[in-house]
Amino acid sequence: MTALRKFDTTNHSGEDRASLIETLRELERRALWLSTWMIHNANAIRPSRDGLKVGGHQSSSASLVSLMTALYFHTLRPEDRVAVKPHASPVFHAIQYLLGRQSRDQLMNFRGLGGAQSYPSRTKDSVDVDFSTGSVGLGVAATLFASLAQDLVMGRDMMPAGRRPGRMIALMGDAELDEGNIFEAVLEGWKHDVRNLWWIVDYNRQSLDGVINDQLAPKFLNLFENFGWRTVTLKYGKKLEAARHGPSGEALLDWIDRCPNQLYSALSFKGGAAWRERLKIDLSGASGLGALLDAHDDEALSELMCNLGGHDLATILDAFDASADEQPTLFLAYTIKGHRLPLAGHKDNHAGQLTAAQVEAFRATSGVRAGHEWEPFEGMAIPRRRIQAFLESVPFAARKSQRSAPAIAVERIAVPEGREMSTQEAFGKIMTTLGREGGELADRIITTSPDVTVSTNLSGWVNRRGLFNRFQNADIFQVEKVPSAQKWQGKPSGQHMELGIAENNLFLMLSQLGLSHDFFGTRLLPVGTVYDPFINRGLDALIYACYQDSRFMLTATPSGITLAPEGGAHQSVNTPLIGMAQDGLTYFEPAFADELAAIMEWGFGYMQDEEGGSVYLRLSTRALEQPQRQLSEADRRDIVNGAYWLRRPDPGANLTIAYCGAIAPEAIQAVSAFAGRSPGPGILAITSPDHLYRGWDEACRRRRQGETDVTSHIETLLEALPRDAGIITMQDGYPTALAWLGSVQRNPVHALGVNRFGQCGDLTDLYRVYGLDADSVEDAARELAARR
Ligand SMILES: Cc1ncc(C[n+]2csc(CCOP(=O)(O)OP(=O)(O)O)c2C)c(N)n1
Ligand SMILES: [Mg+2]
């Protein structure tokens, strides 16, 4: 293991430990009040126009208040990044408000349009959110990949001068540990020697439906320790630790250790008298029990029994301060869901909310005057000036929001040479050339792949640019002079991140590489490869990456039944629709190498554009004869916009074929079968059903809003076609991706495509069985003619 860098743990406020904790306790009380009140306000005070329940999680928030107070007001440094447990969003906003980084209006409009979001959102919240969360498990794992992305940036010496590496921190619910993607990530992290990573588990032993299994803690701890993590358990707070040395102390703690989760939760809900009754029975005969119980009234007894590590600021600070090196660390912090609220410990408290009367009572005990609920320092027991001075000294307060990095110029991407080529092969050649010829663009590209680097044609690039490894790592096959086309030498400056097969990890890796400009102030251009059908396997993580507004190029290949002999498990059908429906991702499916080169060149720019997004290339292994042509700038623009006439229809033509992707030869062949027809049909080459559709949709919207001189690309193209001419669409994918073409100027459409699982076969058989061959086109033309 390398020498571990120490993080700074100084107490920046200059206060001694006792007054630091006193100050934090006041802030903790305030954060608990504000988060509870924010949810109450949204549900019970703000007028409702639709009668819908607004929601919000008071108990999940209360569970995490102490840990978040310690983190944000003491431990965090400006360069650290945090994924906040989704349903603790109100605490996050309350803390940002206390730090002066969030507005009162946003809190008052929690869960309303333009207000603080229900779950932290990088794109929809106005305050700086590091990781979006909501789909549990993903934000947690994303922190691990953010740390790997940071190592890549450092390995390539691309961290801007004066910028320090940060810790990536996840505040997670214990039930998030049920999500498999967490463990996939831990395994991948171990392979890459991940560091600067903290996962803080809010171990309240409750999920949504109730109280969860006993004795999970040792299993989690073993697992993480197996993968080289330090584990830190925060079980008892200082009061319980002190009680250990008092009368009946050992017996009491031993009783808690053995207490089933359900019983502990139920007693936490019932309170002091119930604890007393139970302890009298269960610990009867323990010496000193009477003295222990006599020393505590019901309230004090409840306070003592609920004094768990995750609610005890001194215990939390000790744990955080003692873990200030780079080793990945799991903090298992025992907490009570709903702590200090009347909902505490109740198994049904997940969506439960305080009644108006309970809020009133809570207001009184929080020292908040009616009408002053939103005042930041209302009811605080320490002078306002001291609190303000403290808040100014908080290290995290120095965080500046900076979400961009200098742009990388995109040079011309040359069209790979070859008479016959598949788009996958063309992709490989483009990447190899970039790798060989270098330049700033090539230096910024980071590729990654879940064990399909070789089979997606990325090896040429990897041979040139090397594998990422935090340490120099020779390719032993090369050293031993065993002939191999792959030279897999690892080094810190390597530009390929090789992953295990888990597609979730691919998308989370892309998600965090594609946020490097925001996280580290340096632009990376991530390119990931995957088999197209397995987009579905990692789909939630892909959606998550787009929701975070991450910027990457996803190359998915091979695709469709064109992968003929490989059979149905490897043949993608629904992915064109995913490409179209996914916000933040523009989907292309070129047929020819020159189209791909134009799209990739545009894509590297689009990935950097503030209004841009990510790019999805659906490619194929089917080699096609390449058109002999030189594309003009206008041709390249058409290709990027989604379509061009490969053959313009003759004036007055009553038929056109619109195809997308590797099915091009069948479209061309079908049209030549109609050669005798006059007027001759057109062939519309569609390079992006997605861009083409969005252009049309956007034009329709603008016209609805009164703009008169807007015409979309597809409208311009279809002007060449009479309105009653039939359109046959052809794609190796679900046919509705192109069926909308009929709505543009009301042409009748017959959409050919794949709408069932694929199977093994050769192209001739499969295109016939699934209706994508020349005969099917002829049938479709007949059907369209009959309709007219
Ligand atoms: C992927 C996913 N599945 C289901 C949900 C619905 N859900 C929200 S919170 C929750 C339980 C969370 O329990 P835990 O993580 O322990 O958090 P706690 O509220 O106990 O702090 C569930 C099932 C979700 N948000 N994401
Ligand atoms: Mg929980």
Side-chain angles (χ1 to χ4, degrees):
M1 173 148 324
T2 45
L4 296 175
R5 193 174 74 88
K6 278 278 189 193
F7 284 86
D8 173 16
T9 59
T10 14
N11 175 9
H12 288 259
S13 64
E15 296 181 343
D16 62 27
R17 194 74 162 179
S19 54
L20 169 67
I21 288 172
E22 188 195 348
T23 308
L24 291 178
R25 197 166 288 141
E26 288 301 304
L27 290 163
E28 175 195 28
R29 272 176 8 103
R30 214 45 215 143
L32 176 62
W33 163 258
L34 282 169
S35 54
T36 308
W37 176 250
M38 194 185 313
I39 298 168
H40 180 70
N41 176 69
N43 284 273
I45 297 178
R46 204 167 67 207
S48 166
R49 292 184 301 181
D50 54 15
L52 289 181
K53 176 190 156 189
V54 177
H57 303 87
Q58 289 172 331
S59 299
S60 300
S61 294
S63 190
L64 209 44
V65 165
S66 325
L67 287 156
M68 288 179 72
T69 299
L71 196 65
Y72 278 92
F73 293 114
H74 173 71
T75 304
L76 273 190
R77 299 296 175 259
E79 61 274 16
D80 296 339
R81 301 285 178 158
V82 189
V84 177
K85 182 181 79 167
H87 26 303
S89 163
V91 187
F92 170 75
H93 288 291
I95 288 176
Q96 301 302 313
Y97 177 62
L98 291 171
L99 285 166
R101 303 170 76 91
Q102 174 61 296
S103 73
R104 180 182 302 203
D105 284 351
Q106 287 275 317
L107 303 196
M108 294 177 80
N109 199 15
F110 172 61
R111 290 191 168 222
L113 184 67
Q117 298 293 294
S118 46
Y119 310 112
S121 168
R122 287 178 49 82
T123 53
K124 297 289 186 286
D125 267 314
S126 58
V127 66
D128 227 6
V129 169
D130 295 331
F131 297 86
S132 299
T133 55
S135 178
V136 299
L138 292 178
V140 177
T143 58
L144 184 148
F145 291 96
S147 180
L148 295 182
Q150 178 169 265
D151 280 339
L152 258 148
V153 168
M154 291 200 291
R156 292 194 56 63
D157 269 336
M158 283 180 173
M159 201 70 123
R163 225 180 153 104
R164 289 181 305 183
R167 268 176 301 216
M168 303 299 155
I169 300 174
L171 289 157
M172 58 197 285
D174 46 351
E176 295 197 64
L177 284 160
D178 283 332
E179 290 286 1
N181 81 276
I182 298 265
F183 301 101
E184 295 176 354
V186 168
L187 175 55
E188 198 60 53
W190 173 79
K191 292 182 201 167
H192 300 283
D193 203 14
V194 71
R195 53 181 173 163
N196 297 325
L197 184 64
W198 278 13
W199 285 3
I200 302 168
V201 183
D202 176 0
Y203 195 54
N204 59 29
R205 290 144 290 136
Q206 281 189 246
S207 59
L208 189 156
D209 283 335
V211 179
I212 52 178
N213 313 54
D214 291 310
Q215 294 308 319
L216 269 174
K219 305 211 178 303
F220 290 139
L221 298 175
N222 277 340
L223 194 138
F224 280 86
E225 283 162 13
N226 258 337
F227 283 104
W229 291 52
R230 168 181 35 227
T231 63
V232 179
T233 303
L234 291 76
K235 185 157 194 182
Y236 300 120
K238 299 288 182 194
K239 279 190 186 147
L240 273 172
E241 281 300 345
R244 181 194 294 281
H245 307 292
S248 218
E250 286 294 350
L252 180 74
L253 266 62
D254 179 56
W255 180 87
I256 296 179
D257 280 347
R258 286 183 292 104
C259 184
N261 291 343
Q262 299 243 17
L263 178 61
Y264 186 88
S265 296
L267 292 174
S268 305
F269 177 75
K270 288 170 80 175
W275 284 115
R276 187 177 305 279
E277 219 173 291
R278 188 76 201 193
L279 291 176
K280 273 187 188 161
I281 298 166
D282 284 6
L283 292 184
S284 72
S287 96
L289 181 69
L292 170 75
L293 295 179
D294 289 348
H296 295 83
D297 63 14
D298 282 354
E299 199 183 326
L301 187 60
S302 173
E303 186 69 25
L304 175 70
M305 296 305 287
C306 295
N307 177 236
L308 298 183
H311 294 306
D312 190 85
L313 288 163
T315 305
I316 298 170
L317 292 196
D318 287 351
F320 286 174
D321 286 355
S323 308
D325 56 26
E326 294 179 340
Q327 190 180 1
T329 303
L330 179 90
F331 297 92
L332 198 76
Y334 279 74
T335 53
I336 295 168
K337 193 158 168 171
H339 187 53
R340 296 198 192 286
L341 298 180
L343 305 162
H346 197 291
K347 69 186 175 67
D348 305 335
N349 65 8
H350 186 77
Q353 289 179 15
L354 270 62
T355 62
Q358 287 172 326
V359 171
E360 272 306 304
F362 185 47
R363 180 217 304 281
T365 55
S366 303
V368 175
R369 292 164 295 162
H372 294 256
E373 293 85 356
W374 300 105
E375 299 294 327
F377 306 117
E378 175 73 3
M380 280 195 173
I382 47 184
R384 192 187 173 117
R385 209 174 316 136
R386 196 176 119 198
I387 274 285
Q388 267 168 337
F390 176 83
L391 289 173
E392 278 161 25
S393 76
V394 166
F396 176 74
R399 158 85 80 95
K400 293 195 178 51
S401 175
Q402 184 229 6
R403 290 203 145 181
S404 60
I408 306 304
V410 182
E411 303 112 42
R412 176 55 34 109
I413 292 184
V415 178
E417 288 182 11
R419 263 180 50 77
E420 272 211 350
M421 213 185 315
S422 69
T423 44
Q424 175 174 318
E425 190 186 345
F427 167 74
K429 284 183 167 178
I430 289 171
M431 292 300 295
T432 304
T433 307
L434 280 170
R436 188 180 55 239
E437 295 186 351
E440 202 188 0
L441 175 70
D443 287 347
R444 296 291 173 150
I445 292 175
I446 300 290
T447 55
T448 180
S449 182
D451 201 24
V452 290
T453 301
V454 175
S455 50
T456 54
N457 282 44
L458 258 185
S459 343
W461 159 267
V462 179
N463 287 347
R464 296 273 166 191
R465 295 285 164 155
L467 284 181
F468 167 76
N469 193 307
R470 281 222 288 125
F471 310 98
Q472 290 288 339
N473 182 311
D475 179 345
I476 299 296
F477 277 74
Q478 230 184 331
V479 174
E480 293 293 329
K481 301 195 169 41
V482 180
S484 164
Q486 332 299 338
K487 300 182 191 66
W488 287 43
Q489 194 197 22
K491 51 188 177 181
S493 63
Q495 283 178 259
H496 177 73
M497 177 59 112
E498 179 71 8
L499 301 172
I501 311 176
E503 283 75 16
N504 261 304
N505 285 342
L506 167 76
F507 293 122
L508 292 174
M509 185 79 251
L510 284 174
S511 174
Q512 296 315 125
L513 288 171
L515 289 173
S516 175
H517 51 286
D518 173 328
F519 272 54
F520 314 116
T522 199
R523 179 67 70 172
L524 295 180
L525 296 166
V527 176
T529 69
V530 68
Y531 290 178
D532 194 55
F534 303 130
I535 281 182
N536 290 293
R537 186 65 187 262
L539 186 55
D540 196 23
L542 170 62
I543 294 170
Y544 174 74
C546 295
Y547 185 63
Q548 296 221 89
D549 195 25
S550 170
R551 304 302 180 84
F552 52 88
M553 186 175 282
L554 173 64
T555 302
T557 181
S559 59
I561 59 166
T562 302
L563 191 57
E566 285 283 335
H570 276 52
Q571 293 165 332
S572 57
V573 175
N574 66 347
T575 45
L577 295 182
I578 291 172
M580 291 190 74
Q582 183 52 54
D583 189 15
L585 188 70
T586 305
Y587 147 56
F588 293 88
E589 186 164 352
F592 303 114
D594 54 2
E595 298 169 355
L596 178 66
I599 292 164
M600 286 179 72
E601 185 180 311
W602 172 85
F604 286 126
Y606 184 66
M607 284 157 65
Q608 302 185 61
D609 187 337
E610 205 167 319
E611 300 298 314
S614 291
V615 177
Y616 159 34
L617 309 172
R618 187 175 190 254
L619 305 185
S620 168
T621 41
R622 184 185 186 192
L624 303 186
E625 193 180 324
Q626 299 295 304
Q628 300 306 306
R629 61 186 176 186
Q630 202 70 40
L631 296 176
S632 67
E633 284 308 313
D635 294 337
R636 297 162 63 84
R637 261 198 310 279
D638 286 354
I639 286 166
V640 166
N641 284 334
Y644 63 95
W645 285 113
L646 189 67
R647 183 192 185 284
R648 283 188 83 81
D650 289 343
N654 57 22
L655 186 69
T656 255
I657 295 186
Y659 77 89
C660 180
I663 199 81
E666 280 61 34
I668 296 166
Q669 188 195 342
V671 167
S672 55
F674 300 134
R677 282 196 185 197
S678 179
I683 307 178
L684 188 65
I686 295 185
T687 44
S688 173
D690 184 20
H691 224 188
L692 198 61
Y693 172 78
R694 271 197 280 140
W696 177 57
D697 188 49
E698 168 78 5
C700 295
R701 188 184 59 76
R702 285 168 59 185
R703 285 195 293 261
R704 275 197 307 276
Q705 291 172 348
E707 285 184 61
T708 46
D709 57 346
V710 211
T711 311
S712 64
H713 185 51
I714 186 65
E715 287 166 318
T716 308
L717 289 169
L718 289 186
E719 276 167 12
L721 199 64
R723 282 171 185 250
D724 62 347
I727 301 177
I728 298 171
T729 68
M730 299 179 76
Q731 183 172 18
D732 182 355
Y734 202 78
T736 43
L738 293 180
W740 60 272
L741 282 175
S743 304
V744 176
Q745 52 169 31
R746 310 276 157 77
N747 294 91
V749 162
H750 196 117
L752 303 180
V754 182
N755 55 14
R756 289 165 288 145
F757 284 117
Q759 59 187 305
C760 298
D762 65 11
L763 275 189
T764 314
D765 277 341
L766 290 185
Y767 284 174
R768 176 174 48 78
V769 170
Y770 289 83
L772 280 169
D773 59 351
D775 283 351
S776 309
V777 177
E778 221 168 286
D779 293 345
R782 243 194 323 277
E783 188 269 337
L784 281 171
R787 257 201 262 173
R788 283 169 54 237

